Amino acid sequence: FPIDEVKVWQGFSAQRLDTTILQKGLTSGYWYLDEDININKNWKVENSIFEFRNNASLISDNETEVYISESTFIDSQIILDNLSQVIIKDSLFTGGYKNNFNATAIKLKENKSVKITSSSFLDLKARAILFMGSNGYFGGGLFGGRGTSLSDQNRKLYIDYCLFENCVTQNLMGGALCAMSNDYRITNSKFINCIAKLGGALRVYEIQSDCIDNCYFEKCLSLHFQNPEQPKEWNNPWHPNNNEYGSPHLTNGGAIYSSASKKHDSGVINNSKFLAANVYLGERIISDYHIYNTQFIDSLLTYSRYSDACAPGSGTVFEKGEYKLGGAYYNYCKPLELDWIENYEGGSNFDARSV
């Protein structure tokens, strides 16, 4: 059934969720939260529906383990803090988040291992995921090399075979993912019509080797610079002085806005496609070639002025598509003077166009 129909007929028999019930584990049912639940023990849910009411949150901490499978979450605000392991698979996250303009469906803080696979984030009037934690360093790409099975990879956050569609947040950065740590990898996933204040799909502190592989981005926009109703203007320079640093000031990062970028032995973006979805890579790319076998259709690739004369690697092409905007890449563009900590939660009146 469509989720609206499920909500109508199952809502009549919805059961109130509490800590005791959650600790026992759930394998079915329609459940609701109308106030915060704090749980510091392992919990597991399968084949269940959860509706978050009254702006309630589900908070889990204390080095425990969480397992979520084949479940649906409506208006979720899940906070997972300092857990040993988190597995989310084959699940759906959706919701209108009425009167909550700074909502995030899943917040991840300092967890040791998080795997989100084969799940969908659809029609969210919120940011899908916020990822916080310490940075990692991967001098040779993934330990074990590229192409290893997911269980052998060593990033703290893995997103694999997921769909992010219509994830829209007007106040926050990163419609699908806002990552303050570089310890993540995203593979085989789609980002469609993701819109945020900055970085419509991804707003990341840093992108490094093998962070993105075989992903698809379509019509992802940064509201600071792009009006969803004016596609002909999406790739226009927004700064009044187009030649301020030798290139147009094209730093809108509609699909990806990264404050910093590091390539070691392999590319930062591989085997991917961007359709009307721009990418900004901030300081500093260490090696010249770093994006491989990737299509930019009606999409721009823009580098910070601190990058070392960067250019895309082999198999990367720039083409004109249905929006007739064309594709191109630009070096030496001025980065935004972002106050990262102040603005990642949308708590200020910051306007990047005033920089």
Side-chain angles (χ1 to χ4, degrees):
F1 293 96
I3 190 61
D4 288 341
E5 294 183 24
V6 171
K7 190 173 179 179
V8 168
W9 72 264
Q10 286 196 305
F12 291 108
S13 59
Q15 303 171 77
R16 189 171 187 269
L17 185 67
D18 60 32
T19 302
T20 301
I21 294 172
L22 189 57
Q23 287 178 188
K24 292 179 179 178
L26 296 170
T27 57
S28 64
Y30 190 108
W31 304 87
Y32 72 90
L33 295 72
D34 57 3
E35 62 182 15
D36 290 353
I37 291 179
N38 291 267
I39 182 168
N40 56 14
K41 294 185 178 181
N42 297 345
W43 55 274
K44 177 179 180 179
V45 298
E46 300 175 275
N47 195 33
S48 301
I49 298 173
F50 301 88
E51 181 184 351
F52 289 62
R53 303 174 182 175
N54 299 332
N55 200 29
S57 296
L58 173 57
I59 304 164
S60 189
D61 57 17
N62 197 33
E63 297 187 357
T64 55
E65 297 184 0
V66 169
Y67 179 87
I68 297 171
S69 176
E70 299 183 71
S71 295
T72 295
F73 293 81
I74 304 167
D75 292 343
S76 69
Q77 294 189 96
I78 301 172
I79 301 172
L80 305 175
D81 186 359
N82 192 31
L83 303 190
S84 298
Q85 184 180 60
V86 177
I87 295 176
I88 301 173
K89 65 178 186 177
D90 303 310
S91 293
L92 169 66
F93 296 81
T94 188
Y97 294 86
K98 185 178 179 180
N99 298 323
N100 186 350
F101 304 109
N102 293 322
T104 298
I106 304 173
K107 290 185 179 181
L108 304 168
K109 301 180 179 180
E110 298 289 354
N111 299 292
K112 294 179 180 178
S113 174
V114 180
K115 295 181 176 68
I116 304 174
T117 61
S118 303
S119 294
S120 297
F121 297 79
L122 301 179
D123 301 322
L124 279 175
K125 297 299 182 184
R127 175 170 54 201
I129 301 170
L130 173 64
F131 174 51
M132 294 181 282
S134 56
N135 286 333
Y137 177 79
F138 306 95
L142 297 172
F143 296 152
R146 291 175 56 195
T148 55
S149 65
L150 194 63
S151 61
D152 293 332
Q153 296 168 2
N154 63 323
R155 303 287 169 96
K156 289 182 179 177
L157 171 62
Y158 304 112
I159 298 173
D160 188 45
Y161 284 104
C162 287
L163 171 63
F164 299 83
E165 186 167 4
N166 298 326
C167 298
V168 179
T169 174
Q170 296 186 5
N171 293 350
L172 304 181
M173 299 186 185
L177 170 67
C178 179
M180 297 181 67
S181 165
N182 66 9
D183 208 345
Y184 64 91
R185 190 175 191 234
I186 306 170
T187 59
N188 308 308
S189 295
K190 294 182 179 180
F191 303 82
I192 301 172
N193 195 38
C194 292
I195 299 173
K197 181 169 70 171
L198 184 67
L202 309 179
R203 170 65 174 104
V204 298
Y205 170 74
E206 181 177 275
I207 185 170
Q208 61 168 321
S209 292
D210 286 304
C211 272
I212 298 173
D213 197 348
N214 196 34
C215 290
Y216 176 82
F217 298 80
E218 179 181 342
K219 204 170 77 172
C220 296
L221 305 174
S222 287
L223 291 177
H224 263 317
F225 316 111
Q226 297 166 295
N227 184 337
E229 305 301 322
Q230 297 178 358
K232 292 183 179 180
E233 308 295 326
W234 286 346
N235 289 1
N236 286 355
W238 62 268
H239 198 280
N241 182 357
N242 293 348
N243 297 311
E244 183 173 359
Y245 287 98
S247 295
H249 206 118
L250 295 163
T251 54
N252 61 56
I256 301 173
Y257 191 101
S258 175
S259 295
S261 310
K262 291 181 180 179
K263 170 189 176 292
H264 304 292
D265 292 346
S266 52
V268 299
I269 300 174
N270 301 284
N271 310 308
S272 296
K273 184 175 181 178
F274 295 84
L275 174 60
N278 298 333
V279 175
Y280 172 75
L281 301 180
E283 57 177 290
R284 172 177 207 136
I285 296 288
I286 297 174
S287 181
D288 290 344
Y289 304 107
H290 53 281
I291 296 179
Y292 297 96
N293 300 316
T294 294
Q295 290 179 281
F296 288 85
I297 301 174
D298 287 338
S299 303
L300 302 177
L301 171 61
T302 308
Y303 303 102
S304 162
R305 71 175 186 267
Y306 301 114
S307 297
D308 295 334
C310 295
S314 61
T316 296
V317 297
F318 297 85
E319 300 173 347
K320 185 177 291 187
E322 63 174 297
Y323 293 104
K324 309 299 182 184
L325 301 176
Y329 71 91
Y330 296 88
N331 285 319
Y332 304 115
C333 293
K334 182 181 179 182
L336 301 179
E337 304 297 336
L338 292 173
D339 184 333
W340 174 253
I341 300 300
E342 180 182 0
N343 291 292
Y344 80 93
E345 287 282 24
S348 78
N349 294 320
F350 170 80
D351 184 348
R353 287 168 293 191
S354 67
V355 175

